[in-house]
Amino acid sequence: MPTAPPAEILSIGSEILLGEITDTNAAFLAAELARLGFSLGTVRQVPDDRGVIAAAFTEARARCALIVATGGLGPTHDDLTREGLADALGEVASLDPGLEAQLHARMSNMPAINLRQAMLVRSAEAIANPIGSAPGWWVDRDDVLVVLMPGVPSEMHRMWDEQVVPRLASRFSVAPLRSRTLKTFGIGESAAAERLGSLLSSSDPEAGIYARDDGVHVRFSTRGDPAALETPMARARELLGDDVYGTDDETLPHVAQLALASRGVGTLATHETGTDGALMAILSALPLTADAAAFVGGGLSAEPRVEADALLRVTLLPEDGHGRSVVEVSLSGVGGFEAHRIRIHGSGPQRLRRAAFASLDIVRRA
């Protein structure tokens, strides 16, 4: 069984290039390909143009062995992925009787335009779509595999999980990527990199450092024995010290709520000024757990009218024109907590979220 080949992702649709939708499909597939052991070389966004789509497939087929494409499989005139791939292959699509029958069974009064979704080229095998009208294509020719899937995320996810992944696993010998992540707050990316030093130059496990709204993340990855990740994780935790707030799936809000619960706080309310409710939005999205302080509500222009054991007040002061702002944080209901001021960087929505995370980090530390 051959090893996993280099892969590319094509996201097809002019609405992506116009910024009308966010290309979440590519992010999902990139993570999935890495998990399965494929090396991803390129992610490319392509407009609804038959010639451009054909050229993109031709170029990708010349440099990699697996191409995963999403979008452009609908019934309308601008859904041109099938035609573009057919042109790249030098083949002509024709109506497949089996797919036509499936479409008629799915839609009692099917518009004639939907017959475009029943077209196949000689090299293509249809991939079932149980929740949509657009089947995918599995094209295995010239030692290059091309997978076409719908652009609708729910349809794509299910097709990927149920149809594509099993086929890939039976076709290729894959070495899944194993990763561990150390999460920090209160230290910049460059400062964290300086502390970590030679840990970041390792090739196996491979190390990476990433700036996020909730801090700087350090990730170690390997396709070998996952036990090899524990040594660099432990060393990185030692080097980064108190700036570390968690690992892997742990989140800064939950860690802060756990810290409050350890001080006897069962419920938490917030009052925010200048953040547009960023802290409320973050806390509201968290699932309730029995071991953490529960968020019960917040207010913006006035104190929240809810009963809570503790009240977290956050004020974001105006930005200074150079991407720097000051966050003031106070917490009532918890003895020994002193008001804090912390400087953050960023602008726009990022600035608001960083202010919220900074307040949670202060709670976590205190």
Side-chain angles (χ1 to χ4, degrees):
M1 182 180 294
T3 58
E8 294 195 14
I9 294 173
L10 295 182
S11 298
I12 300 172
S14 295
E15 66 275 16
I16 299 173
L17 294 171
L18 292 172
E20 295 174 355
I21 65 170
T22 301
D23 186 11
T24 58
N25 285 348
F28 169 82
L29 290 170
E32 283 289 291
L33 288 169
R35 178 182 66 84
L36 293 171
F38 292 88
S39 174
L40 180 62
T42 300
V43 177
R44 184 173 178 182
Q45 296 176 336
V46 184
D48 295 312
D49 182 297
R50 182 169 176 170
V52 175
I53 294 170
F57 277 119
T58 299
E59 293 164 11
R61 293 183 77 250
R63 62 176 172 248
C64 69
L66 171 63
I67 303 157
V68 182
T70 63
L73 299 182
T76 59
H77 71 284
D78 58 346
D79 291 308
L80 298 168
T81 300
R82 289 174 294 257
E83 290 82 352
L85 178 56
D87 292 346
L89 295 170
E91 300 185 21
V92 177
S94 60
L95 193 65
D96 181 83
L99 292 179
E100 181 183 7
Q102 291 175 22
L103 286 173
H104 281 293
R106 182 180 180 83
M107 294 175 276
S108 56
N109 296 307
M110 185 186 73
I113 194 174
N114 280 85
L115 285 176
R116 298 183 66 237
Q117 296 177 302
M119 304 293 283
L120 278 180
V121 294
R122 173 176 46 83
S123 298
E125 175 186 349
I127 306 175
N129 182 352
I131 59 175
S133 61
W137 280 17
W138 178 277
V139 179
D140 191 353
R141 206 191 87 175
D142 306 326
D143 296 322
V144 178
L145 178 62
V146 182
V147 179
L148 306 186
M149 293 185 293
V152 179
S154 59
E155 296 180 24
M156 186 275 289
H157 284 203
R158 184 158 175 182
M159 185 180 290
W160 175 261
D161 290 338
E162 297 181 359
Q163 305 288 331
V164 179
V165 170
R167 296 183 191 210
L168 292 175
S170 65
R171 167 77 181 274
F172 300 108
S173 175
V174 296
L177 186 69
R178 311 290 188 183
S179 298
R180 293 290 315 277
T181 301
L182 200 67
K183 299 179 178 181
T184 74
F185 198 95
I187 183 174
E189 188 176 6
S190 57
E194 186 175 13
R195 284 197 211 171
L196 293 170
S198 61
L199 273 182
L200 296 180
S201 62
S202 170
S203 59
D204 190 18
E206 182 181 359
I209 186 166
Y210 312 94
R212 303 281 190 263
D213 289 349
D214 63 343
V216 172
H217 296 188
V218 183
R219 187 181 66 199
F220 298 98
S221 305
T222 183
R223 298 191 188 279
D225 185 353
L229 300 173
E230 300 310 313
T231 297
M233 281 286 289
R235 180 58 179 156
R237 181 185 286 274
E238 178 184 345
L239 293 170
L240 296 172
D242 292 340
D243 290 322
V244 175
Y245 68 79
T247 61
D248 303 325
D249 294 331
E250 291 180 304
T251 68
L252 181 51
H254 188 240
V255 170
Q257 288 174 293
L258 289 172
L260 287 169
S262 72
R263 295 290 301 275
V265 176
T267 54
L268 172 70
T270 60
H271 177 250
E272 300 173 64
T273 302
T275 62
D276 290 348
L279 180 58
M280 251 195 302
I282 290 169
L283 292 175
S284 298
L286 291 177
L288 293 175
T289 60
D291 55 349
F295 175 62
V296 294
L300 298 180
S301 59
E303 298 283 327
R305 296 183 178 181
V306 293
E307 293 292 333
D309 297 332
L311 176 64
L312 178 60
R313 295 183 181 86
V314 180
T315 300
L316 176 60
L317 301 179
E319 193 255 338
D320 66 1
H322 300 284
R324 297 186 297 265
S325 304
V326 171
V327 184
E328 296 180 343
V329 182
S330 65
L331 181 66
S332 59
V334 180
F337 186 94
E338 298 180 359
H340 286 71
R341 290 170 63 95
I342 185 172
R343 189 178 297 276
I344 63 166
H345 295 263
S347 60
Q350 180 192 59
R351 171 175 170 264
L352 307 182
R353 284 178 54 82
R354 284 188 174 174
F357 283 120
S359 68
L360 293 168
D361 186 61
I362 288 172
V363 170
R364 185 266 303 186
R365 292 173 185 264

